[in-house]
């Protein structure tokens, strides 16, 4: 019942994140994205419907006219994404959480009384594992303070809350809880930054590039670099750098970022 669901959100603003990017209900365009249901989650936990580490319910997107929603609430903590044993445990735990969330939706979320699962992820997603040590190591402080870098390979823009308090996916199990500033209180700011080629180049290795969420950065800079736009940017630049390296007969370390940018302009026309 989409009307019942949307009415609850509109009539209970204190039960959701105050960030307009994390609580979107646009009936005209059909855009829905909501982080919260805080009171309902606490009520469900007190009655044994939800597991202790669940502190909020997160709908990443919803197609109102079709009654289909993408749920992004499952969280696994204290797991090493490089350990097969931990990954298997995480998959089993995620299936358990999935069933508990389904019970929660049916029993507590207005309009979701008849909800059912249509599809789930086949594997668990690891947000952060190993990252390289590159010719450059990017921190969030540097990313914000120095938006212009000489070896830039691209520009990205995203809405983020800065600092450790702004880490929306805290690894300590408190994500979405009353102590989570990023979810409960903050309003993210628009951040634009340039990505340096040096964070793709593995230190002390001439012909190895790494793109995506494994680039050389610290934990806080990672939240800016692990999302799709930045991953596409680093992946595309890495491919162009490899092509330039072969064509000119030089090492990847010797490839000029200006040459990468020039090829980007030509290939993206």
């Amino acid at each position: 019942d989409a009307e019942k669901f949307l009415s609850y959100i509109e009539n209970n603003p204190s039960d959701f994140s105050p960030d307009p990017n994390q609580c979107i209900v646009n009936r005209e365009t059909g855009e829905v994205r909501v982080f919260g249901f805080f009171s309902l989650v606490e009520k469900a936990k007190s009655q044994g419907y939800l597991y202790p580490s669940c502190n909020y319910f997160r709908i990443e997107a919803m197609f109102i006219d079709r009654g289909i929603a993408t749920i992004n609430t499952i969280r696994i903590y204290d797991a090493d994404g490089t350990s097969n044993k931990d990954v298997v445990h995480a998959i089993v735990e995620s299936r358990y959480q999935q069933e508990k969330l389904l019970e929660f939706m049916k029993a507590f979320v207005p309009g979701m009384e008849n909800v059912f699962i249509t599809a789930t992820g086949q594997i668990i997603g690891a947000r952060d594992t190993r990252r390289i040590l590159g010719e450059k190591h990017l921190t969030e402080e540097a990313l914000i303070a120095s938006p212009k870098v000489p070896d830039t390979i691209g520009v990205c823009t995203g809405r983020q809350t800065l600092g450790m308090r702004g880490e929306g996916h805290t690894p300590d199990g408190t994500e979405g809880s009353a102590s989570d500033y990023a979810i409960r209180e903050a309003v993210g700011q628009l951040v634009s930054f340039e990505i340096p080629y040096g964070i793709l180049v593995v230190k002390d290795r001439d012909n190895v590039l790494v793109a995506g969420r494994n680039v050389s950065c610290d934990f806080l800079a990672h939240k800016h670099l692990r999302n799709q736009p930045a991953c596409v940017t680093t992946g595309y630049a890495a491919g162009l750098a490899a092509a330039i390296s072969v064509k000119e007969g030089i090492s990847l370390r010797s490839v000029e970022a200006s040459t990468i940018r020039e090829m980007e302009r030509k290939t993206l026309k």
Side-chain angles (χ1 to χ4, degrees):
D1 186 334
E3 181 57 39
K4 188 176 180 181
F5 175 79
L6 296 176
S7 294
Y8 178 82
I9 299 170
E10 292 168 340
N11 294 328
N12 296 274
S14 63
D15 216 19
F16 299 90
S17 168
D19 191 329
N21 189 52
Q22 296 179 349
C23 190
I24 303 169
V25 177
N26 191 322
R27 290 174 179 266
E28 184 176 339
T29 64
E31 184 179 10
V32 176
R33 184 186 195 222
V34 285
F35 296 8
F37 298 92
F38 302 128
S39 65
L40 300 185
V41 167
E42 290 307 311
K43 184 178 179 181
K45 287 169 69 173
S46 70
Q47 296 181 25
Y49 278 84
L50 280 174
Y51 43 95
S53 64
C54 184
N55 298 307
Y56 74 136
F57 182 56
R58 175 170 171 156
I59 296 179
E60 206 67 48
M62 174 177 279
F63 299 96
I64 298 174
D65 56 335
R66 298 166 63 187
I68 297 175
T70 301
I71 311 300
N72 182 7
T73 303
I74 290 173
R75 298 290 183 269
I76 311 297
Y77 300 103
D78 298 320
D80 181 353
T82 67
S83 163
N84 287 337
K85 181 179 178 181
D86 280 14
V87 170
V88 170
H89 168 75
I91 292 172
V92 173
E93 172 65 18
S94 69
R95 298 305 182 196
Y96 164 75
Q97 292 187 17
Q98 175 181 289
E99 291 302 316
K100 299 301 287 184
L101 287 167
L102 184 62
E103 293 176 12
F104 161 73
M105 286 183 273
K106 289 182 175 181
F108 291 91
V109 181
M112 285 191 161
E113 294 82 1
N114 298 313
V115 70
F116 57 92
I117 296 173
T118 59
T120 66
Q122 297 300 304
I123 59 174
I124 197 75
R127 180 165 285 110
D128 192 6
T129 51
R130 294 190 178 105
R131 282 174 260 126
I132 65 164
L133 179 61
E135 285 298 309
K136 286 190 173 181
H137 186 73
L138 193 60
T139 65
E140 183 181 60
E141 184 178 9
L143 180 147
I144 301 304
S146 303
K148 298 292 184 181
V149 294
D151 64 335
T152 180
I153 53 171
V155 180
C156 284
T157 300
R159 191 172 294 278
Q160 295 284 358
T161 304
L162 305 179
M164 190 60 203
R165 294 184 74 201
E167 175 49 56
H169 299 293
T170 50
D172 60 4
T174 61
E175 179 180 337
S177 70
S179 64
D180 187 347
Y181 171 76
I183 298 297
R184 296 288 184 123
E185 300 180 47
V187 175
Q189 65 185 73
L190 205 60
V191 178
S192 292
F193 59 94
E194 294 187 355
I195 300 176
Y197 179 58
I199 67 171
L200 280 63
V201 181
V202 179
K203 194 175 182 64
D204 301 326
R205 294 290 185 274
D206 285 335
N207 286 304
V208 181
L209 292 179
V210 172
R213 63 179 179 82
N214 299 316
V215 294
S216 180
C217 65
D218 71 0
F219 177 72
L220 292 179
H222 193 249
K223 71 185 174 191
H224 302 272
L225 293 164
R226 68 186 174 214
N227 294 316
Q228 290 181 16
C231 287
V232 168
T233 301
T234 56
Y236 188 58
L240 293 179
I244 294 166
S245 171
V246 172
K247 182 179 180 180
E248 298 187 3
I250 57 176
S251 70
L252 291 169
R253 186 184 314 283
S254 301
V255 174
E256 294 289 340
S258 58
T259 308
I260 297 174
R261 294 195 299 270
E262 181 61 29
M263 187 173 285
E264 285 175 336
R265 284 190 285 267
K266 291 178 179 178
T267 56
L268 290 176
K269 285 183 178 179

